[in-house]
Amino acid sequence: MKIYLRKNQTTNEYDTISWESSNKDISLSFPFEISAVYADKISKVIVEKYELQKIGFYVLNGELEFETDIPSIKGYKFRGLNKNLSSKTGVSLLFYPDEPGKGNQWGDIEQYELVEGADCLGKYLDIYR
């Protein structure tokens, strides 16, 4: 499924997401910047609401199924969402090291599995390149 992010003309930030489901156009707008990906393996749209420190799981009719906190990893900063077929949901969480001694020698961004549930942080998948 193809999803579309649209920018707010005033702020120039993505704040609207849309897609087609069951021959209907679905559109969700937010009063803040968002990022989103389609999770193929669970047929849901995942919306990152960084300003609120939340991740929303939306069913294809546009209804919010549930929302959870963006997880944290000590010594790392959250970077965003990414499609990843190694994840049970088809989406990974990206983190980059922000403390000495964390991550590899190059400071690569790391991918962790996004899983459904209150604690959405799954297993380490790999570095992101």
Side-chain angles (χ1 to χ4, degrees), residues 19-122:
W19 65 90
E20 186 180 309
S21 177
S22 301
N23 295 321
K24 293 181 183 176
D25 290 328
I26 309 297
S27 182
L28 302 173
S29 294
F30 299 87
F32 43 79
E33 185 176 15
I34 62 160
S35 175
V37 295
Y38 176 64
D40 302 85
K41 292 183 176 182
I42 59 172
S43 298
K44 292 186 177 114
V45 176
I46 312 300
V47 179
E48 172 199 331
K49 306 169 187 178
Y50 189 77
E51 183 175 306
L52 302 178
Q53 290 294 294
K54 300 284 185 187
I55 295 175
F57 289 71
Y58 289 82
V59 292
L60 295 184
N61 68 4
E63 292 180 27
L64 177 64
E65 183 176 65
F66 71 94
E67 191 172 68
T68 187
D69 293 334
I70 291 176
S72 61
I73 300 174
K74 185 171 174 32
Y76 290 81
K77 285 254 189 211
F78 178 72
R79 173 69 173 87
L81 303 171
N82 187 53
K83 293 184 81 70
N84 187 311
L85 296 178
S86 297
S87 172
K88 290 177 186 173
T89 59
V91 176
S92 65
L93 301 162
L94 302 177
F95 291 88
Y96 66 90
D98 74 340
E99 286 183 10
K102 298 292 183 178
N104 65 19
Q105 63 191 10
W106 302 282
D108 285 325
I109 293 173
E110 299 179 3
Q111 296 187 75
Y112 290 81
E113 186 172 47
L114 174 72
V115 295
E116 292 185 272
D119 183 12
C120 64
L121 181 65

Side-chain angles (χ1 to χ4, degrees), residues 8-20:
N8 179 305
Q9 291 181 357
T10 304
T11 64
N12 205 31
E13 296 176 339
Y14 292 109
D15 68 352
T16 301
I17 184 170
S18 60
W19 65 90
E20 186 180 309

